[in-house]
């Protein structure tokens, strides 16, 4: 039987789904509701498989499957994007939103079918619900998508299947099923978009920073897959392997990734990037400021490791210590959002590439810094880093960056949105940088009343909601492009629901919470 935290998490997700479709009700709403009901039952099967160690792959064991909250993210994002672009009259991105929603539903349904298929005895009720939900989704897709769009959805599903088989085998205990759905589903969509755009290059069409994101994400993932396969046959910790790693990284970067980006943006990528970064004096000031913050973050890592005495090798950094990095990230993103969002977009992509590359060096023990990184970062591990990879800092960066990357610039007048939609780029700052940080700090220091079945406290959640409302007021003061148009009740409801989700979810909140807050703000 499902425990109370899982039931409350599911209830909050259902409320969010109903809130979204109370504003946006169309044929896709029936699909989303059917998917939510079906995912709730399939989640129970996944949880049982994880408890009995009956899943095909090894998933993270310190959390429930998280299938329901993860299943709704991509479909709701697509529906919100469709409605926003429909109201702006941008047909291309309206159709793109429909494809995103359909893809998300089909991928989530596929993951549910796997759980049902490997559960013994066969769960009759869940099979019936899965069949009904699948029939509704496929029927709606048949009457909504063109042939080319159906092919695109199936392409993403195929990529997702292959990525899942490869990465879940190579990276045991790094994900829950829900986290795998979000991460691998997103990667599948990015890879498909890059292939599609590479085959249909039209000079002058498309924003170079969007191409930059696609190429960098796909490039670093392919780089990791290449070295993972290579180091099966050789020891990665030797100097010869390390020299080969650095040489092949340069070869693949200059020989594959750079020409690929050149084909898309039709100019030299290095010259374009340097010109972009130093285009204005404001950008130079922001880069200097961000460099100082990056140095401060490194200083905290070295200082905390220096405090670790030889008698306490197993000492781990406290929750408050880990939240220092949340404060630094907020201090990084807020000036970028106010003064230059395009620069923040590109800088976040570069930072993601650096984070993943450093994780490769740590994971493969590449000399001369691999072992040092292992020692430095081991202090900041928590129960969510149970697999071979350390992903929490990458999830933090993704949670702050995804609202910036997914902001529908083409569907917003002059790059801005009115009402609650104006806060979409700030979703990561509010949900993770402010809400999650304040909830953890105040909950762990002053909280006494715990939410049923969790370690989270009522005081921490209420303080997080209050802090986010104050943050919204400060954004109104300092960012002149934000105009809420009296949508304060919706903002309060959105912040409250996401804060309650933070209290009950066992998934990676740095990744999940900003996406749900973005969905609420977009509709």
């Amino acid at each position: 039987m499902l425990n109370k935290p899982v039931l409350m998490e599911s209830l909050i997700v259902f409320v969010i789904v109903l809130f979204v479709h109370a504003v946006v009700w169309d044929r896709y709403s029936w699909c989303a509701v059917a998917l939510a009901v079906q995912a709730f039952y399939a989640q129970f099967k996944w949880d049982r498989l994880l408890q009995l160690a009956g899943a095909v792959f090894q998933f993270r064991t310190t959390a429930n499957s998280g299938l329901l909250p993860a299943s709704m993210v991509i479909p709701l994002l697509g529906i919100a994007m469709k409605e926003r672009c429909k109201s702006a009259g941008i047909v291309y991105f309206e159709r793109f939103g429909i494809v995103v929603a359909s893809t998300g539903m089909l991928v989530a349904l596929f993951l549910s079918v796997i759980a049902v298929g490997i559960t013994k005895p066969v769960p009759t009720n869940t099979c019936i619900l899965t069949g009904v939900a699948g029939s509704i989704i496929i029927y709606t897709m048949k009457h909504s998508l063109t042939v080319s769009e159906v092919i695109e959805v199936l392409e993403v599903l195929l990529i997702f299947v292959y990525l899942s088989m490869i990465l879940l085998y190579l990276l045991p205990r790094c994900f829950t099923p829900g986290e795998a759905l979000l991460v691998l589903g997103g990667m599948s969509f990015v890879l498909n978009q890059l292939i599609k755009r590479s085959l249909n290059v039209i000079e002058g069409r498309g924003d170079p920073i969007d191409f930059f994101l696609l190429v960098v994400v796909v490039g670093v993932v392919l780089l990791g897959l290449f070295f993972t396969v290579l180091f099966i046959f050789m020891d990665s910790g030797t100097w010869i392997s390390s020299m080969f790693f650095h040489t092949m990284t340069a070869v693949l970067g200059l020989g594959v990734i750079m020409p690929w980006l050149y084909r898309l943006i039709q100019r030299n990528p290095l010259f374009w990037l340097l010109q972009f970064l130093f285009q204005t004096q404001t950008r130079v000031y922001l880069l200097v400021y961000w460099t100082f913050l990056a140095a401060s973050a490194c200083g905290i890592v070295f200082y905390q490791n220096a405090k670790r005495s030889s008698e306490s090798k197993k000492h781990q950094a406290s929750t408050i210590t880990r939240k220092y990095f949340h404060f630094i990230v907020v201090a990084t993103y807020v000036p970028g959002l106010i003064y230059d969002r395009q620069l923040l977009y590109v800088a976040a992509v570069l930072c993601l590439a650096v984070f993943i590359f450093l994780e490769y060096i740590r994971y493969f023990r590449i000399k001369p810094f691999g072992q040092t990184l292992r020692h430095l970062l081991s202090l900041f591990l928590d129960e969510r880093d149970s697999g071979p990879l350390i992903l929490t800092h990458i999830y933090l960066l993704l949670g702050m960056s995804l609202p910036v990357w997914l902001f529908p610039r083409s569907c917003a007048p002059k790059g801005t949105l009115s009402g609650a939609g104006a806060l979409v780029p700030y979703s990561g700052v509010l949900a993770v940088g402010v809400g999650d940080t304040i909830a953890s700090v105040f909950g762990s220091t002053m909280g006494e009343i715990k939410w049923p079945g969790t370690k989270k406290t009522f005081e921490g959640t209420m303080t997080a909601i209050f802090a986010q409302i104050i943050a919204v007021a400060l954004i109104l003061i300092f960012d002149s492009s934000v105009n809420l148009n009296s949508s304060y009740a919706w903002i309060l409801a959105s912040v409250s629901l996401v804060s309650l989700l933070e209290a009950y979810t066992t998934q990676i909140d740095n990744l999940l919470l900003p996406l749900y807050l973005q969905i609420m703000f977009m509709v």
Side-chain angles (χ1 to χ4, degrees):
M1 186 175 181
L2 290 173
N3 54 31
K4 284 185 180 180
V6 175
L7 286 172
M8 285 301 301
E9 177 191 56
S10 302
L11 177 61
I12 294 166
V13 172
F14 273 117
V15 171
I16 292 175
V17 171
L18 294 177
F19 264 55
V20 169
H21 292 290
V23 179
V24 182
W25 187 267
D26 55 19
R27 68 176 72 177
Y28 306 101
S29 301
W30 294 108
C31 296
V33 172
L35 179 67
V37 173
Q38 178 272 334
F40 174 77
Y41 278 87
Q43 177 176 254
F44 173 74
K45 305 306 174 189
W46 265 116
D47 290 342
R48 184 181 175 189
L49 287 170
L50 295 180
Q51 292 170 4
L52 300 176
V56 178
F57 300 104
Q58 296 183 56
F59 292 99
R60 189 159 64 87
T61 56
T62 57
N64 68 306
S65 65
L67 186 64
L68 173 59
S71 294
M72 302 314 300
V73 169
I74 299 177
L76 291 180
L77 270 176
I79 291 170
M81 182 186 300
K82 173 186 74 71
E83 287 301 313
R84 183 62 65 175
C85 295
K86 180 179 179 181
S87 61
I90 311 296
V91 178
Y92 175 81
F93 286 101
E94 178 188 350
R95 300 301 305 175
F96 182 72
I98 294 173
V99 171
V100 171
S102 302
T103 303
M105 292 178 188
L106 208 60
V107 169
L109 192 66
F110 171 78
L111 203 60
S112 298
V113 169
I114 291 179
V116 173
I118 61 179
T119 300
K120 303 297 179 184
V122 177
T124 307
N125 293 338
T126 308
C127 285
I128 294 172
L129 282 171
T130 302
V132 171
S135 299
I136 294 173
I137 292 170
I138 292 173
Y139 178 82
T140 304
M141 288 175 57
K142 176 185 175 183
H143 291 83
S144 304
L145 301 179
T146 63
V147 174
S148 61
E149 290 169 343
V150 171
I151 293 174
E152 185 174 354
V153 170
L154 295 177
E155 288 171 350
V156 176
L157 179 60
L158 185 62
I159 295 171
F160 175 79
V161 172
Y162 280 108
L163 275 181
S164 299
M165 289 191 296
I166 295 171
L167 293 181
L168 292 179
Y169 173 76
L170 294 174
L171 305 173
R173 303 180 307 282
C174 284
F175 309 100
T176 64
E179 291 161 5
L181 171 61
L182 278 179
V183 175
L184 301 182
M187 287 169 50
S188 303
F189 208 91
V190 167
L191 178 57
N192 184 70
Q193 283 296 305
L194 180 58
I195 294 172
K196 177 183 174 183
R197 298 190 186 194
S198 299
L199 296 175
N200 298 281
V201 175
I202 300 177
E203 187 172 357
R205 182 173 179 178
D207 195 330
I209 65 174
D210 291 330
F211 293 135
F212 184 67
L213 170 64
L214 296 176
V215 172
V216 168
V217 170
V218 173
V220 293
V221 171
L222 294 179
L223 192 69
L225 289 174
F226 172 78
F227 285 117
T228 300
V229 174
L230 178 68
F231 289 137
I232 291 175
F233 305 100
M234 58 190 300
D235 182 8
S236 61
T238 64
W239 274 106
I240 294 177
S241 298
S242 299
M243 291 292 292
F244 186 75
F245 173 88
H246 295 301
T247 303
M248 287 305 300
T249 299
V251 169
L252 292 173
L254 297 175
V256 177
I257 296 175
M258 295 287 285
W260 202 346
L261 188 56
Y262 177 84
R263 170 174 168 78
L264 291 169
I265 67 175
Q266 300 294 309
R267 66 189 82 169
N268 187 297
L270 284 178
F271 291 158
W272 168 79
L273 183 60
L274 290 173
Q275 182 184 11
F276 179 87
L277 292 177
F278 301 101
Q279 193 170 19
T280 64
Q281 195 172 30
T282 302
R283 292 186 174 180
V284 175
Y285 290 152
L286 282 172
L287 290 172
V288 172
Y289 170 66
W290 289 340
T291 303
F292 168 75
L293 291 177
S296 301
C298 294
I300 292 174
V301 173
F302 288 121
Y303 174 72
Q304 292 296 327
N305 274 273
K307 285 177 59 179
R308 180 163 46 175
S309 64
S310 58
E311 292 84 14
S312 57
K313 294 291 185 181
K314 295 184 179 180
H315 170 70
Q316 295 300 116
S318 66
T319 299
I320 295 177
T321 300
R322 283 197 287 266
K323 297 306 175 184
Y324 289 160
F325 298 103
H326 286 234
F327 286 119
I328 290 176
V329 170
V330 171
T332 301
Y333 274 72
V334 170
L337 288 168
I338 294 175
Y339 295 109
D340 198 327
R341 292 182 184 178
Q342 284 199 325
L343 178 65
L344 179 64
Y345 186 113
V346 172
V349 175
L350 289 172
C351 193
L352 177 65
V354 171
F355 275 22
I356 296 176
F357 184 70
L358 289 176
E359 181 57 21
Y360 290 158
I361 291 176
R362 187 206 65 84
Y363 175 63
F364 293 123
R365 295 175 289 114
I366 301 298
K367 295 180 181 296
F369 303 113
Q371 202 60 43
T372 302
L373 284 172
R374 286 195 167 210
H375 174 73
L376 291 175
L377 296 180
S378 64
L379 178 65
F380 301 94
L381 296 178
D382 61 16
E383 69 277 1
R384 294 174 296 183
D385 293 310
S386 57
L389 296 183
I390 300 177
L391 297 172
T392 47
H393 59 299
I394 297 176
Y395 285 141
L396 174 60
L397 177 65
L398 284 174
M400 301 291 288
S401 303
L402 283 173
V404 180
W405 294 339
L406 300 177
F407 180 69
R409 301 188 309 276
S410 302
C411 302
K414 298 181 180 179
T416 62
L417 292 174
S418 59
L423 295 174
V424 166
Y426 288 94
S427 300
V429 172
L430 292 172
V432 175
V434 177
D436 181 47
T437 303
I438 296 298
S440 297
V441 172
F442 279 83
S444 61
T445 56
M446 295 185 294
E448 295 182 358
I449 306 172
K450 294 186 182 297
W451 291 106
T454 75
K455 297 179 181 179
K456 307 295 179 65
T457 63
F458 174 82
E459 294 89 346
T461 302
M462 293 301 106
T463 309
I465 295 172
F466 183 65
Q468 289 176 81
I469 297 304
I470 293 177
V472 170
L474 292 175
I475 291 170
L476 276 172
I477 294 172
F478 291 103
D479 192 344
S480 58
S481 67
V482 174
N483 179 16
L484 299 184
N485 289 342
S486 302
S487 54
Y488 304 108
W490 183 265
I491 292 171
L492 178 60
S494 303
V495 166
S496 301
L497 283 171
V498 172
S499 297
L500 284 172
L501 183 61
E502 186 274 336
Y504 280 101
T505 188
T506 56
Q507 305 304 297
I508 299 293
D509 48 10
N510 289 347
L511 185 63
L512 195 66
L513 302 183
L515 292 173
Y516 269 109
L517 192 59
Q518 177 177 2
I519 290 166
M520 293 292 288
F521 284 162
M522 281 182 68
V523 297

